Amino acid sequence: MHEKTLAELSQALQNKTLSSVELTQHYLKRIEQLDGSLNSYITVTAESALEQAAAADARIAAGNAGPLTGIPLAHKDLFCTQGQRTSCGSKMLDNFISPYESTVTQRFLDAGAVSLGKTNLDEFAMGSSTESSFYGPTRNPWDTDRVPGGSSGGSAAAVAGRLCVAATGTDTGGSIRQPAGFTALTGLKPTYGRVSRWGMVAYASSLDQGGPMARTAEDCALMLQVMAGFDAKDSTSVEQPVPDYSASLSDSLKGLRIGLPKEYFAAGLDAATSDAISAAVKQFQALGAEVREISLPNAELAIPAYYVIAPAEASSNLSRFDGVRFGYRCDHPADLTDLYKRSRAEGFGAEVKRRIMVGTYALSAGYYDAYYLKAQKIRRLIKNDFMAAYEQVDVILCPTSPTPAFKIGEKIDDPVSLYLTDIYTITANLAGVPGIALPAGFANGLPLGMQLLGPYFSEARLLNIAHQYQQVTDWHQRAPAGY
Amino acid sequence: MQWEIVIGLEIHAQLTTASKIFSGSATTFGAEPNTQASLVDLGMPGTLPVLNAQAVRNAVKFGLAIDAEIGMTNVFARKNYFYPDLPKGYQTSQMDHPIVGKGYLDITLEDGTVKRVGVTRAHLEEDAGKSLHEDFHGMSGIDLNRAGTPLLEIVSEPDMRSAKEAVAYAKTIHSLVRYLGICDGNMAEGSLRCDCNVSVRPKGQTEFGTRCEIKNVNSFRFIEKAINTEVQRQIELIEDGGKVVQETRLYDPNKDETRSMRSKEEANDYRYFPCPDLLPVVLEPSFIEEVRGELPELPQQKRERFESQFGLSTYDASVLSASRELADYFEQVQQTCGDAKLAANWVMGELSSLLNKEGLEIEQSPVSAAQLGGMILRIKDNTISGKIAKMVFEALAAGEGDSADEIIEAKGLKQVTDSGAIEAMLDEVLAANAAQVEQYRASDEAKRGKMFGFFVGQAMKASKGKANPQQVNDLLRKKLEG
């Protein structure tokens, strides 16, 4: 049953050819058998999953089920789940049992979905490989010597390894799209403000956005339908009606204008990925789309701007982890300063500390204008680039990363080369626009990803385009050997 | 050398809102520790702030009352520093775009002169919690009930030139925020807290001297004492050849001294930046007008009206308008008796000293405005003299009767105005003091004037104060001359 998509399993549950308890047991068993090699889960909540499954079966029997009722999912361990450990992949929160439920996970509970557990991530979502987790690296099911991408690498590996039907992720600089590309999944980063951030532990508040990771665009549509919507508890949440994302999946692509940013097809892009996208362009043309070259002239400034803004916000967001009220506290602090210093020095990993240092520096008196303010100006320019581009085209097509999944350990000691893997994804976060990543081919057995970026609140259109592409291709149907 | 004192105040006023500035927790004072701290107030991972509209409304009220420009686009900023009672590791405040811009306040000094003090800005921010160092051996307790309580930080220009001016300004702010109903002004509970920036310079010098900030002075009396102590310290330091170092100091009322808390070099770099969890808050002109419509008559307007409508002096008018409750009391007395000057004298005189003595607020006055007004009516219609009125007032204060009339009746205090009765009484007094009468009649004009008072005193004593003083005077003079 794990070869089926969310949409197919939903049908099976509704038709009662399958029960949620059976399905949940099946996935729990797979996790037990296979996750030892992947390390995609930090916490497996078997007991509550089976209770939820039983409740879902009752709900289906009573006839008041929705499409997600009874579907076993996994949540990135950045979403607070009441009564369960919410670790953020950090030693700092290894002992943290959340006293409340995030809006996103609450919506899934309300929809009757089953949660199998919490997935691994780069510590506090800071990374592109899921190697910086306190709980060890997650491995890519397509090649377990390789990373699954990050920071939502646990969710990516769990969905790709068929250890859950679909999962939630969060995307601050590409953390949904890049791992989706590395594992042949479909992953959507919604418009900033589309999905509530209440209960989603903040990395960089102005960039963070939760979204779905699944096997197909159709599945992502079903997931987003649950996640999206205004939340009075999040002041940056946007009060905008949520369309029926499944309703427009079958719309024609005739007349669709696709732009290829020339800056993204220059030096540094892996040839196989470039070829895969060229092939995808032909597919889109065959589906009736027009493709033209466009320019995002300030794209090259995105990485430096991101690595000022995100660490600046992070340095402030992570100040609350001080050993006073929750989380890790050092042994026998001599005094208050010692409590702060050692709790934070011992509780945070290297990459988190690096970003706190960078961000603290960028916000310091005398440097603020040169770094933070300048980065904000670049952010404005990048946003303007997108607005100008969307006057010429409906969506932008580009790679999700310069290369396919790299080897574990290959880049971990070279932070800058690791930062560069986000070069194609970061701009969407800086501009706040939505993007969907989907598989575009394979090279040497490794998935190649591409992404479509659209204007604000164009999620329905992006899902429609991805779905139409998936009607004429089968990359998304391939499963990694042994899973 | 002649020194000039320069003072600016930063006043933190806790805004009276039912819930906190960024969370739904209650703001009641004195609850059990940490019972009014929500997930947001605790800084739980993943929680987010939502701005309280009432706090914005209160701040706008203040801005309109000091004739300030209102910041139509409000940006909240994070002020980053570590402290155990600061749960998030930053305080959400306003930096570049405060809700209240430049404004001013007119303060009345003791000699009745009015001085204008500039207000630089006022901004919204959240309060921190409290660290409790007593009761915990080798540890500190943290109470986060106060964390997230809305504050309006009101920053003055360095316009004050003496501790007394600073106190007058602080009292004016105190009165204003209570008039507006945006802060309860309870300084003992920390609802209004004051930081004093103090410097001195040789008289005539235009540049300011180096200032020190005295943190958290929590009573008007301490404001005056702390400033005077600090001024003295600075002058002595400079006169001894030293230099004032810019620093934050604390005032110790027990020792009546200020001591260094941290120097400028030790000061935190707060790394202010716009809070990404709160979008800029844009106010509509219609909202401002709506709030303007809710403003009550303000202390200054009231003072001016008391002067023009009732002919009171500036000083009397400003004393009576200092609090809304006192002003309302006075106006009620005035309405009952129809005599503003008598009403003012009684409210500022007997009533004030009674309240002072008993340590009571005007709202707790044992003599109601209706009772006092009714009593003044009896002075005006000559039923009682001013002297008897004091007895009646004391009886009212002691609860010996419901009204002045009842007390006058029961105690037989009604003034004697029957000239026959007064004459008979005077005859008895003169007969009993025959020697003095002889002496009086033998004296010259100047000496007689002095002796006349003696006979008046004897006569009033004999009548137990009830004889009409004017009649006693007239008849006595006639009899002595005759």
Side-chain angles (χ1 to χ4, degrees), chain A residues 86-102:
Chain A
T86 298
S87 74
C88 300
S90 181
K91 180 182 178 185
M92 184 58 89
L93 290 179
D94 183 46
N95 65 0
F96 178 66
I97 306 298
S98 175
Y100 75 109
E101 193 77 25
S102 76

Side-chain angles (χ1 to χ4, degrees), chain B residues 76-125:
Chain B
F76 286 89
R78 290 185 184 176
K79 178 180 179 179
N80 294 283
Y81 65 98
F82 285 96
Y83 205 70
D85 59 25
L86 187 73
K88 299 186 297 296
Y90 57 82
Q91 179 193 31
T92 309
S93 181
Q94 293 190 292
M95 184 63 179
D96 293 333
H97 304 276
I99 189 155
V100 176
K102 264 188 186 308
Y104 65 87
L105 265 183
D106 287 338
I107 63 172
T108 308
L109 306 176
E110 275 176 4
D111 64 3
T113 55
V114 173
K115 173 166 178 157
R116 181 157 289 190
V117 176
V119 171
T120 315
R121 60 182 281 164
H123 62 258
L124 281 168
E125 60 185 27

Side-chain angles (χ1 to χ4, degrees), chain B residues 150-448:
Chain B
L151 294 179
L152 187 67
E153 180 175 336
I154 306 158
V155 183
S156 85
E157 290 287 311
D159 283 351
M160 286 149 283
R161 294 292 173 267
S162 71
K164 283 207 183 311
E165 284 186 18
V167 171
Y169 168 80
K171 282 185 171 168
T172 309
I173 292 275
H174 181 258
S175 151
L176 180 60
V177 294
R178 286 173 44 112
Y179 258 82
L180 294 169
I182 60 170
C183 170
D184 67 19
N186 191 328
M187 296 178 84
E189 289 177 2
S191 301
L192 199 84
R193 309 195 290 270
C194 186
D195 299 340
C196 312
N197 284 291
V198 179
S199 66
V200 297
R201 63 182 170 189
K203 239 194 171 93
Q205 180 181 304
T206 45
E207 320 73 274
F208 291 127
T210 306
R211 71 189 148 89
C212 289
E213 182 182 13
I214 315 167
K215 276 268 175 212
N216 264 333
V217 195
N218 291 339
S219 81
F220 296 127
R221 199 161 63 88
F222 289 162
I223 290 174
E224 183 167 352
K225 292 181 81 174
I227 291 174
N228 282 331
T229 306
E230 175 61 15
V231 163
Q232 206 50 45
R233 185 190 71 88
Q234 291 187 11
I235 291 175
E236 278 168 20
L237 187 67
I238 299 169
E239 288 184 342
D240 289 347
K243 254 189 175 162
V244 175
V245 183
Q246 189 177 334
E247 61 184 355
T248 304
R249 300 181 70 85
L250 271 183
Y251 176 66
D252 180 345
N254 296 319
K255 295 184 179 162
D256 191 26
E257 63 177 28
T258 66
R259 50 171 185 271
S260 180
M261 202 172 133
R262 57 171 180 264
S263 73
K264 192 187 174 192
E265 285 71 35
E266 291 168 281
N268 281 310
D269 176 355
Y270 290 120
R271 293 174 282 116
Y272 278 99
F273 77 106
C275 179
D277 288 330
L278 291 161
L279 300 174
V281 178
V282 179
L283 304 181
E284 298 291 336
S286 60
F287 172 75
I288 306 295
E289 288 321 305
E290 186 189 313
V291 175
R292 198 189 295 280
E294 292 167 5
L295 288 181
E297 186 185 29
L298 298 173
Q300 190 180 332
Q301 295 161 344
K302 203 160 266 207
R303 195 196 75 211
E304 286 164 3
R305 181 167 64 80
F306 283 3
E307 288 180 52
S308 60
Q309 187 180 340
F310 301 134
L312 299 182
S313 72
T314 304
Y315 181 75
D316 288 359
S318 68
V319 169
L320 290 170
S321 58
S323 86
R324 200 159 156 177
E325 292 79 8
L326 184 65
D328 288 349
Y329 186 100
F330 160 72
E331 285 209 83
Q332 213 192 321
V333 175
Q334 188 278 330
Q335 266 165 27
T336 311
C337 72
D339 189 322
K341 286 199 174 135
L342 268 180
N345 288 343
W346 276 91
V347 171
M348 292 168 64
E350 295 299 309
L351 181 73
S352 284
S353 47
L354 171 73
L355 297 179
N356 265 339
K357 200 171 76 196
E358 306 284 330
L360 298 173
E361 296 297 324
I362 186 75
E363 308 91 282
Q364 306 161 305
S365 171
V367 180
S368 73
Q371 287 174 328
L372 182 56
M375 191 197 81
I376 294 173
L377 268 180
R378 294 297 157 260
I379 303 175
K380 287 188 53 168
D381 67 9
N382 280 329
T383 305
I384 53 172
S385 65
K387 199 158 178 185
I388 293 291
K390 287 187 185 173
M391 290 169 61
V392 176
F393 181 80
E394 274 166 30
L396 281 171
E400 290 172 24
D402 286 341
S403 69
D405 288 344
E406 197 184 312
I407 290 166
I408 293 166
E409 188 61 41
K411 297 200 165 199
L413 295 174
K414 200 164 183 239
Q415 188 159 250
V416 178
T417 50
D418 173 51
S419 51
I422 294 174
E423 276 192 66
M425 181 269 292
L426 286 178
D427 289 341
E428 275 176 42
V429 167
L430 295 181
N433 295 286
Q436 282 85 348
V437 174
E438 281 301 307
Q439 216 181 327
Y440 179 91
R441 287 184 176 146
S443 303
D444 60 14
E445 199 60 33
K447 201 135 184 234
R448 281 186 178 190

Side-chain angles (χ1 to χ4, degrees), chain B residues 452-467:
Chain B
F452 187 74
F454 165 77
F455 294 108
V456 172
Q458 291 300 313
M460 291 311 286
K461 202 166 154 190
S463 77
K464 300 200 177 72
K466 288 189 289 184

Side-chain angles (χ1 to χ4, degrees), chain A residues 54-273:
Chain A
D57 285 332
R59 197 165 152 178
I60 293 165
N64 58 357
L68 264 292
T69 309
I71 299 290
L73 305 176
H75 297 298
K76 187 176 184 177
D77 204 15
L78 198 68
F79 288 100
C80 287
T81 47
Q82 189 168 8
Q84 294 175 351
R85 174 170 63 183
T86 298
S87 74
C88 300
S90 181
K91 180 182 178 185
M92 184 58 89
L93 290 179
D94 183 46
N95 65 0
F96 178 66
I97 306 298
S98 175
Y100 75 109
E101 193 77 25
S102 76
T103 295
V104 162
T105 50
Q106 185 61 51
R107 282 168 175 260
F108 279 114
L109 287 175
D110 295 345
V114 172
S115 170
L116 296 167
K118 311 290 287 288
T119 59
N120 203 5
L121 67 157
D122 280 298
E123 186 178 3
F124 284 103
M126 298 182 195
S128 312
S129 62
T130 316
E131 292 171 282
S132 71
S133 169
F134 173 62
Y135 301 93
T138 294
R139 293 170 182 273
N140 191 326
W142 293 94
D143 176 351
T144 52
D145 286 340
R146 291 179 188 266
V147 302
S151 64
S152 311
S155 287
V159 181
R162 276 62 175 164
L163 304 184
C164 62
V165 180
T168 54
T170 66
D171 192 318
T172 305
S175 287
I176 287 175
R177 290 162 290 152
Q178 183 253 26
F182 279 10
T183 55
L185 297 182
T186 307
L188 176 72
K189 180 203 96 74
T191 306
Y192 184 76
R194 177 78 288 183
V195 170
S196 170
R197 294 187 298 116
W198 173 261
M200 197 179 102
V201 180
Y203 155 27
S205 314
S206 73
L207 301 161
D208 295 342
Q209 188 61 203
M213 302 178 80
R215 301 238 299 275
T216 66
E218 186 184 19
D219 288 359
C220 280
L222 292 168
M223 291 283 285
L224 185 63
Q225 202 70 51
V226 174
M227 298 174 83
F230 175 70
D231 181 5
K233 291 197 286 249
D234 174 2
S235 304
T236 60
S237 158
V238 181
E239 214 161 353
Q240 166 112 355
V242 178
D244 181 344
Y245 294 115
S246 299
S248 50
L249 289 175
S250 305
D251 288 359
S252 160
L253 301 193
K254 200 147 269 159
L256 174 75
R257 298 170 302 164
I258 297 177
L260 299 175
K262 61 180 182 195
E263 292 82 5
Y264 283 4
F265 293 93
L269 178 60
D270 164 69
T273 305

